[in-house]
Amino acid sequence: MEIVLHNVKPVYMSESEVSGSDIYMQQTVCFRQDKCYMICAKSGHGKTSLLNFIYGTSTLYDGEITVTQAPPSPRSAFISYMFQDLCLFPELTAMENVLIKNNLTGFKNADEIENMLDALFLKEKRDQPLRTLSLGQQQRVAVVRALCQPFSFILLDEPFSHIDSQTAKVAASLICKEAERQKAGIIITALDTTDLFQFDSLMQL
């Protein structure tokens, strides 16, 4: 599977704002399954917009995005997305937030979920309402939730912005192992490059 962009540009950004981008306004940009892509840009340069375009939650762009060899289903069925604003439910517990997705997909068993929560130091927080957790803990819950579905690509929008470096290494390892198991592509956005992932391509937005 490939995600291919042709001359894509957010409608709310001018050509001068995206000049020099490795992605926006390029004739063809191809993201291939089983590859890891790091996309860096300053705040406000369209990182979240790009992932929303790819995922299909926004169509506010010029150009064209195609997904080759995609199943006849919504992109959310084969693309997992860890949103920058997390999109979690504060009144539910950490475990309940994870199970909302896993109950739909049936992808992970109870032991696998417990092991991921434990690896990310969330075992003691599993039954607490999400609103009582720190932002970093909430990001870790979002990591677990994102891994509770089959995917051909996983999109990560500044995924570790509030997680300490050691825990971020654990989270990145969980993501990479799952992506490798599923032979899936990884697309990460960040303000600056990181050594947490062995990316195949570094792109400036």
Side-chain angles (χ1 to χ4, degrees):
M1 183 181 295
E2 296 180 344
I3 298 170
V4 185
L5 283 61
H6 299 286
N7 298 305
V8 168
K9 180 186 76 66
V11 297
Y12 39 81
M13 297 179 73
S14 66
E15 290 190 16
S16 62
E17 287 180 287
V18 299
S19 63
S21 170
D22 294 328
I23 297 173
Y24 287 144
M25 293 298 295
Q26 296 299 316
Q27 185 174 358
T28 302
V29 176
C30 182
F31 297 104
R32 294 182 171 86
Q33 193 174 337
D34 203 22
K35 300 291 184 183
C36 183
Y37 300 87
M38 172 67 66
I39 300 171
C40 293
K42 295 179 181 178
S43 180
H45 279 233
K47 298 186 299 297
T48 297
S49 293
L50 175 66
L51 297 189
N52 287 340
F53 300 157
I54 290 172
Y55 194 61
T57 51
S58 173
T59 57
L60 296 176
Y61 61 89
D62 298 320
E64 182 182 15
I65 298 176
T66 59
V67 182
T68 66
Q69 299 179 336
S73 56
R75 291 182 190 175
S76 59
F78 56 88
I79 298 178
S80 185
Y81 190 178
M82 183 180 166
F83 299 88
Q84 187 181 80
D85 60 3
L86 306 182
C87 294
L88 297 168
F89 298 92
E91 70 278 9
L92 300 182
T93 68
M95 177 62 84
E96 286 170 339
N97 269 277
V98 172
L99 291 180
I100 281 179
K101 171 169 279 192
N102 199 70
N103 287 343
L104 291 173
T105 65
F107 189 61
K108 295 290 185 181
N109 62 43
D111 287 343
E112 289 173 318
I113 293 173
E114 291 283 0
N115 289 339
M116 287 192 289
L117 291 171
D118 191 22
L120 292 174
F121 312 106
L122 291 168
K123 187 174 182 178
E124 303 301 321
K125 305 292 183 179
R126 66 188 298 282
D127 296 320
Q128 285 188 213
L130 199 80
R131 64 177 179 271
T132 68
L133 305 187
S134 71
L135 189 51
Q137 290 168 333
Q138 292 181 33
Q139 280 189 317
R140 284 179 261 158
V141 172
V143 168
V144 176
R145 185 186 62 176
L147 299 179
C148 286
Q149 74 168 83
F151 55 83
S152 299
F153 281 90
I154 185 167
L155 312 180
L156 307 167
D157 194 5
E158 297 188 41
F160 309 139
S161 56
H162 295 275
I163 300 177
D164 66 89
S165 59
Q166 189 59 42
T167 307
K169 288 181 181 178
V170 177
S173 177
L174 286 176
I175 292 167
C176 290
K177 286 179 181 177
E178 185 62 40
E180 182 179 4
R181 190 177 72 83
Q182 299 198 50
K183 296 181 171 57
I186 303 173
I187 302 176
I188 315 147
T189 66
L191 297 174
D192 298 295
T193 186
T194 174
D195 61 359
L196 292 173
F197 294 87
Q198 297 298 314
F199 48 85
D200 298 286
S201 180
L202 172 62
M203 312 172 87
Q204 297 292 331
L205 197 58

